[in-house]
Amino acid sequence: MSRLRNLGPLLLAMALALVLGFGLARGLSATDDLRNQLYLFSQILYLVQNNYVEQPDNEKLMRGAIDGMLKSLDPHTVYVPEQRAERMDEEFHGEYSGIGISFEIRDGFITVLAPLEGTPSYRLGIRPGDRIVMIDGERMPSTVTNQDVFKRLRGPAGTMVHVTIEREGEGQPLEFDIERAKIPIESVPYAYMIRPGIGYIRVTRFAQTTADELDKAIEALRGQGMKSLLLDLRFNSGGLLSQAVEVLDAFVPPGKRLVYTRGRISSANAEYFSSDRAKPVEGPIVVLIDHGTASASEIVAGGLQDLDRGLVAGTTSFGKGLVQNQMRLSNGSKLLLTIAKYYTPSGRLIQRDYSKFADSQDYSEDAFKEDAPQDSVLAKRPKFKTAAGRTVFGGGGIIPDVVVKDPPALTRAQMEMIQKRLFFEWTTHYLAARKGARWTPESFGKEFKLTPADWDDFAKVMKKREVTSSDSVLAADREFIERRLRAEVAGNLWGSQESYRIIEEDDPQLEGALQLFPQASELLALSAGGRPTGKAGKPDKGTEAHKR
């Protein structure tokens, strides 16, 4: 009983924090019910703490209770621990302060994968493959962790850090004094002319800088003759609703409803309309999506589809139609709490049904099963009309106007080569042995072929990294290996965009999307007042109004 009395104040404080701190004591009956539930919880907590076979970890107990509580709501309401919350802030704010490298711990060394273009490390000539062996005069142990590196290399902009680097081909270590700076986290990492007149832009997330990055990319491509745009939203898991609205606003004529939200509290209800700002892209747009396209990226794809402003191609998107508010907690962690559902301009809720799944993993895996729903499934889905009268469907992701299947999955050998960074390691040795050579991007075009000596060197790297292979596997993967090595060399010499362009040369989904601009042009004419059509210009015979 004395132990129960000692625990009592803690349980009472916890109960009061929950009841009063979150404003739940609004009605007497609701408060009584909540108090009963909290009392039941306190009984169980007391019994576990005092009778369980081993001394329980209170933090783990409470984390389990929190996770279990939130799991009963929906898959997207989650608790985010403090360290992950800090990383999330960086991603959404679009910057952090540091020296500007991507790295990994490889063979016990801090190994530079790439200096980020335009950052202090890039300007000082730090290269992929460099090993950071000392920071501020202290040798880094082989047990160094990513978190250790973050603590040592990141810091306020304008402060200095001294690093000692070992570089292959250099007899002595290299010393660098690096002034930390604000490092942007790009959400529009790739933008280039992919065909004459057609610009390509990849958006990977929706952070605070996304709309500005997109505007700059569009302006640059227009200067290169862009008339049409391929907007790639594949594996874009979303981000800020406000940025999705701004991105849509860049393409949609003034006065159009872009998206709206509805929730239980009045502040969660909002409608967003396009402004009278200048629209930098007036030509046809093809939007490429896949099963990993979610949340804010679905708002963009769905808005362009509903307003007949862009032809959507690819595979059915993830289907996340819930809006989370990020709530900072007392210990620096966050609660991502669903406060509203969002609807596309036609009134579609694209959230997939999550009630039938036992856990979030099953729910996530379900989104990757089908390129597009079968007709028998669509017959049960709610139907909606685009601005020009085309039929679209709600209830489970954005269904593309034209299905373009995902690229073939990588083989196990190919995945192992990438995961163990064979191409990175080979390139480091290859360039170190050719120091001073002069190359252009054309040097590593499609005509580039490995010499027998190059293949021998690659086989040695495979053996060193214990990648299982055979002559038949190497023969089958020859084209894949050469393309990846070309991309790695190009990235090392000229930056990530050159690497990305080479990797995407053989992407059949991207190539399929590029064939759709005649249909996108027809859709653009339709949106300007042509005859109502079904998918991609076909007459639509069905109608069904959305009622709410």
Short mmCIF file of all heavy atoms in Angstrom, two decimals, residues 257-260 302-303 305-307 343-350 382-387 390-394 398 544-548:
data_model
loop_
_atom_site.label_atom_id
_atom_site.label_comp_id
_atom_site.label_asym_id
_atom_site.label_seq_id
_atom_site.Cartn_x
_atom_site.Cartn_y
_atom_site.Cartn_z
N ARG A 257 -10.45 26.36 -57.63
CA ARG A 257 -10.20 25.70 -56.34
C ARG A 257 -9.20 24.58 -56.54
O ARG A 257 -9.37 23.71 -57.40
CB ARG A 257 -11.50 25.16 -55.75
CG ARG A 257 -11.29 24.56 -54.36
CD ARG A 257 -12.58 24.33 -53.61
NE ARG A 257 -13.41 23.30 -54.21
CZ ARG A 257 -14.52 22.83 -53.65
NH1 ARG A 257 -14.96 23.36 -52.50
NH2 ARG A 257 -15.23 21.90 -54.26
N LEU A 258 -8.14 24.59 -55.74
CA LEU A 258 -7.03 23.65 -55.89
C LEU A 258 -7.17 22.44 -54.97
O LEU A 258 -6.85 21.32 -55.36
CB LEU A 258 -5.71 24.35 -55.61
CG LEU A 258 -5.41 25.59 -56.46
CD1 LEU A 258 -4.13 26.27 -55.99
CD2 LEU A 258 -5.32 25.22 -57.93
N VAL A 259 -7.63 22.67 -53.76
CA VAL A 259 -7.79 21.61 -52.77
C VAL A 259 -8.58 22.20 -51.61
O VAL A 259 -8.59 23.42 -51.41
CB VAL A 259 -6.41 21.09 -52.28
CG1 VAL A 259 -5.63 22.17 -51.55
CG2 VAL A 259 -6.54 19.84 -51.40
N TYR A 260 -9.28 21.34 -50.86
CA TYR A 260 -9.92 21.83 -49.64
C TYR A 260 -9.83 20.76 -48.56
O TYR A 260 -9.65 19.57 -48.87
CB TYR A 260 -11.36 22.28 -49.88
CG TYR A 260 -12.33 21.21 -50.34
CD1 TYR A 260 -13.15 20.55 -49.44
CD2 TYR A 260 -12.45 20.89 -51.69
CE1 TYR A 260 -14.08 19.60 -49.86
CE2 TYR A 260 -13.36 19.95 -52.13
CZ TYR A 260 -14.17 19.30 -51.21
OH TYR A 260 -15.08 18.35 -51.63
N GLY A 302 -3.54 15.14 -58.30
CA GLY A 302 -5.00 15.12 -58.34
C GLY A 302 -5.59 16.45 -58.80
O GLY A 302 -6.58 16.49 -59.53
N GLY A 303 -4.97 17.56 -58.37
CA GLY A 303 -5.45 18.86 -58.79
C GLY A 303 -5.27 19.09 -60.27
O GLY A 303 -6.18 19.58 -60.96
N GLN A 305 -5.07 16.81 -62.52
CA GLN A 305 -5.98 15.89 -63.22
C GLN A 305 -7.41 16.41 -63.19
O GLN A 305 -8.10 16.46 -64.22
CB GLN A 305 -5.90 14.50 -62.58
CG GLN A 305 -6.68 13.42 -63.31
CD GLN A 305 -6.54 12.08 -62.63
OE1 GLN A 305 -6.77 11.95 -61.43
NE2 GLN A 305 -6.14 11.07 -63.40
N ASP A 306 -7.89 16.81 -62.01
CA ASP A 306 -9.27 17.28 -61.87
C ASP A 306 -9.55 18.53 -62.70
O ASP A 306 -10.66 18.72 -63.20
CB ASP A 306 -9.58 17.59 -60.40
CG ASP A 306 -9.91 16.34 -59.61
OD1 ASP A 306 -9.79 15.24 -60.16
OD2 ASP A 306 -10.29 16.47 -58.43
N LEU A 307 -8.55 19.37 -62.83
CA LEU A 307 -8.72 20.62 -63.58
C LEU A 307 -8.30 20.47 -65.04
O LEU A 307 -8.25 21.45 -65.78
CB LEU A 307 -7.91 21.73 -62.91
CG LEU A 307 -8.36 22.07 -61.47
CD1 LEU A 307 -7.36 22.99 -60.79
CD2 LEU A 307 -9.75 22.67 -61.46
N TYR A 343 -9.45 17.05 -49.93
CA TYR A 343 -10.24 16.68 -51.10
C TYR A 343 -9.71 17.43 -52.31
O TYR A 343 -9.37 18.61 -52.24
CB TYR A 343 -11.72 17.04 -50.88
CG TYR A 343 -12.35 16.31 -49.71
CD1 TYR A 343 -12.18 16.78 -48.41
CD2 TYR A 343 -13.09 15.15 -49.91
CE1 TYR A 343 -12.75 16.11 -47.33
CE2 TYR A 343 -13.66 14.47 -48.83
CZ TYR A 343 -13.48 14.96 -47.54
OH TYR A 343 -14.04 14.29 -46.47
N THR A 344 -9.63 16.73 -53.44
CA THR A 344 -9.19 17.34 -54.67
C THR A 344 -10.30 18.26 -55.20
O THR A 344 -11.42 18.24 -54.68
CB THR A 344 -8.84 16.26 -55.71
OG1 THR A 344 -10.04 15.55 -56.07
CG2 THR A 344 -7.81 15.30 -55.17
N PRO A 345 -10.04 19.06 -56.23
CA PRO A 345 -11.05 20.03 -56.69
C PRO A 345 -12.40 19.43 -57.02
O PRO A 345 -13.45 20.06 -56.79
CB PRO A 345 -10.39 20.64 -57.93
CG PRO A 345 -8.93 20.54 -57.66
CD PRO A 345 -8.75 19.26 -56.92
N SER A 346 -12.43 18.20 -57.54
CA SER A 346 -13.71 17.58 -57.89
C SER A 346 -14.45 17.04 -56.68
O SER A 346 -15.62 16.65 -56.78
CB SER A 346 -13.49 16.44 -58.89
OG SER A 346 -12.79 15.37 -58.28
N GLY A 347 -13.78 17.00 -55.53
CA GLY A 347 -14.40 16.47 -54.31
C GLY A 347 -13.92 15.09 -53.92
O GLY A 347 -14.48 14.46 -53.03
N ARG A 348 -12.86 14.61 -54.56
CA ARG A 348 -12.36 13.27 -54.26
C ARG A 348 -11.60 13.23 -52.94
O ARG A 348 -10.70 14.04 -52.72
CB ARG A 348 -11.42 12.79 -55.36
CG ARG A 348 -12.07 12.36 -56.63
CD ARG A 348 -11.06 11.75 -57.58
NE ARG A 348 -10.15 12.73 -58.16
CZ ARG A 348 -9.08 12.41 -58.88
NH1 ARG A 348 -8.76 11.14 -59.06
NH2 ARG A 348 -8.31 13.35 -59.40
N LEU A 349 -11.94 12.27 -52.10
CA LEU A 349 -11.08 11.88 -50.98
C LEU A 349 -10.29 10.68 -51.47
O LEU A 349 -10.87 9.64 -51.81
CB LEU A 349 -11.90 11.50 -49.75
CG LEU A 349 -11.11 10.90 -48.58
CD1 LEU A 349 -10.15 11.92 -47.99
CD2 LEU A 349 -12.05 10.37 -47.51
N ILE A 350 -8.98 10.81 -51.51
CA ILE A 350 -8.17 9.74 -52.11
C ILE A 350 -7.58 8.81 -51.07
O ILE A 350 -6.79 7.91 -51.40
CB ILE A 350 -7.04 10.34 -52.97
CG1 ILE A 350 -6.15 11.23 -52.13
CG2 ILE A 350 -7.61 11.11 -54.16
CD1 ILE A 350 -4.73 11.18 -52.52
N PRO A 382 -16.44 5.61 -55.64
CA PRO A 382 -17.18 6.85 -55.94
C PRO A 382 -16.62 7.52 -57.18
O PRO A 382 -15.40 7.58 -57.37
CB PRO A 382 -16.96 7.70 -54.69
CG PRO A 382 -15.74 7.14 -54.04
CD PRO A 382 -15.72 5.68 -54.36
N LYS A 383 -17.53 8.01 -58.04
CA LYS A 383 -17.12 8.65 -59.29
C LYS A 383 -17.26 10.17 -59.18
O LYS A 383 -18.16 10.67 -58.50
CB LYS A 383 -17.99 8.15 -60.45
CG LYS A 383 -17.84 6.68 -60.76
CD LYS A 383 -18.76 6.29 -61.91
CE LYS A 383 -18.66 4.81 -62.22
NZ LYS A 383 -19.59 4.42 -63.32
N PHE A 384 -16.39 10.85 -59.89
CA PHE A 384 -16.38 12.32 -59.89
C PHE A 384 -16.12 12.81 -61.30
O PHE A 384 -15.74 12.04 -62.19
CB PHE A 384 -15.32 12.85 -58.93
CG PHE A 384 -15.47 12.34 -57.52
CD1 PHE A 384 -14.88 11.13 -57.15
CD2 PHE A 384 -16.21 13.03 -56.59
CE1 PHE A 384 -15.02 10.64 -55.87
CE2 PHE A 384 -16.36 12.55 -55.30
CZ PHE A 384 -15.77 11.35 -54.94
N LYS A 385 -16.31 14.09 -61.51
CA LYS A 385 -16.10 14.69 -62.82
C LYS A 385 -15.00 15.74 -62.76
O LYS A 385 -14.94 16.55 -61.83
CB LYS A 385 -17.39 15.35 -63.32
CG LYS A 385 -18.48 14.36 -63.67
CD LYS A 385 -18.04 13.49 -64.84
CE LYS A 385 -19.10 12.45 -65.16
NZ LYS A 385 -18.68 11.58 -66.26
N THR A 386 -14.13 15.71 -63.77
CA THR A 386 -13.13 16.77 -63.90
C THR A 386 -13.82 18.02 -64.43
O THR A 386 -15.01 18.00 -64.78
CB THR A 386 -12.00 16.35 -64.86
OG1 THR A 386 -12.52 16.30 -66.19
CG2 THR A 386 -11.43 14.99 -64.47
N ALA A 387 -13.07 19.09 -64.53
CA ALA A 387 -13.64 20.35 -65.00
C ALA A 387 -14.25 20.23 -66.39
O ALA A 387 -15.24 20.89 -66.71
CB ALA A 387 -12.57 21.45 -64.98
N ARG A 390 -14.53 14.68 -67.65
CA ARG A 390 -13.96 13.33 -67.63
C ARG A 390 -14.28 12.67 -66.30
O ARG A 390 -14.37 13.33 -65.27
CB ARG A 390 -12.45 13.38 -67.84
CG ARG A 390 -12.01 13.94 -69.17
CD ARG A 390 -10.49 13.81 -69.35
NE ARG A 390 -9.77 14.46 -68.28
CZ ARG A 390 -8.61 14.03 -67.76
NH1 ARG A 390 -8.07 12.91 -68.22
NH2 ARG A 390 -8.01 14.70 -66.81
N THR A 391 -14.40 11.35 -66.31
CA THR A 391 -14.67 10.61 -65.08
C THR A 391 -13.36 10.26 -64.37
O THR A 391 -12.42 9.76 -65.00
CB THR A 391 -15.44 9.32 -65.38
OG1 THR A 391 -16.70 9.65 -65.94
CG2 THR A 391 -15.68 8.51 -64.10
N VAL A 392 -13.33 10.53 -63.08
CA VAL A 392 -12.21 10.12 -62.24
C VAL A 392 -12.79 9.45 -61.00
O VAL A 392 -13.98 9.58 -60.71
CB VAL A 392 -11.31 11.31 -61.85
CG1 VAL A 392 -10.50 11.80 -63.03
CG2 VAL A 392 -12.13 12.46 -61.26
N PHE A 393 -11.95 8.73 -60.27
CA PHE A 393 -12.42 7.91 -59.16
C PHE A 393 -11.74 8.30 -57.86
O PHE A 393 -10.56 8.67 -57.83
CB PHE A 393 -12.15 6.44 -59.45
CG PHE A 393 -12.89 5.91 -60.64
CD1 PHE A 393 -12.32 6.00 -61.91
CD2 PHE A 393 -14.13 5.33 -60.51
CE1 PHE A 393 -13.00 5.52 -63.02
CE2 PHE A 393 -14.82 4.84 -61.63
CZ PHE A 393 -14.25 4.95 -62.88
N GLY A 394 -12.49 8.21 -56.77
CA GLY A 394 -11.95 8.45 -55.44
C GLY A 394 -11.78 7.14 -54.70
O GLY A 394 -11.93 6.05 -55.25
N ILE A 398 -4.56 8.33 -56.56
CA ILE A 398 -4.81 8.94 -57.86
C ILE A 398 -4.57 7.88 -58.92
O ILE A 398 -3.47 7.34 -59.06
CB ILE A 398 -3.86 10.14 -58.10
CG1 ILE A 398 -4.04 11.20 -57.01
CG2 ILE A 398 -4.10 10.73 -59.48
CD1 ILE A 398 -5.41 11.82 -56.94
N GLU A 544 -21.89 11.17 -62.75
CA GLU A 544 -22.37 10.97 -61.38
C GLU A 544 -21.87 12.13 -60.55
O GLU A 544 -20.67 12.35 -60.45
CB GLU A 544 -21.87 9.64 -60.81
CG GLU A 544 -22.40 9.39 -59.40
CD GLU A 544 -22.05 8.00 -58.90
OE1 GLU A 544 -21.94 7.09 -59.73
OE2 GLU A 544 -21.87 7.85 -57.68
N ALA A 545 -22.79 12.87 -59.97
CA ALA A 545 -22.41 14.05 -59.19
C ALA A 545 -21.95 13.62 -57.81
O ALA A 545 -22.41 12.61 -57.26
CB ALA A 545 -23.60 15.00 -59.08
N HIS A 546 -21.06 14.42 -57.25
CA HIS A 546 -20.57 14.17 -55.89
C HIS A 546 -21.41 14.96 -54.90
O HIS A 546 -21.61 16.15 -55.06
CB HIS A 546 -19.11 14.60 -55.78
CG HIS A 546 -18.57 14.55 -54.38
ND1 HIS A 546 -18.72 13.45 -53.58
CD2 HIS A 546 -17.90 15.46 -53.65
CE1 HIS A 546 -18.15 13.68 -52.42
NE2 HIS A 546 -17.66 14.89 -52.43
N LYS A 547 -21.93 14.28 -53.90
CA LYS A 547 -22.75 14.94 -52.89
C LYS A 547 -22.07 14.82 -51.53
O LYS A 547 -21.60 13.75 -51.16
CB LYS A 547 -24.14 14.31 -52.83
CG LYS A 547 -24.92 14.43 -54.14
CD LYS A 547 -26.26 13.75 -54.05
CE LYS A 547 -27.03 13.87 -55.36
NZ LYS A 547 -28.33 13.18 -55.31
N ARG A 548 -22.09 15.91 -50.79
CA ARG A 548 -21.49 15.90 -49.45
C ARG A 548 -22.46 16.49 -48.47
O ARG A 548 -23.15 17.44 -48.78
CB ARG A 548 -20.20 16.73 -49.42
CG ARG A 548 -19.07 16.10 -50.19
CD ARG A 548 -17.76 16.82 -49.95
NE ARG A 548 -17.30 16.61 -48.59
CZ ARG A 548 -17.23 17.55 -47.67
NH1 ARG A 548 -17.59 18.76 -47.92
NH2 ARG A 548 -16.79 17.28 -46.47
#
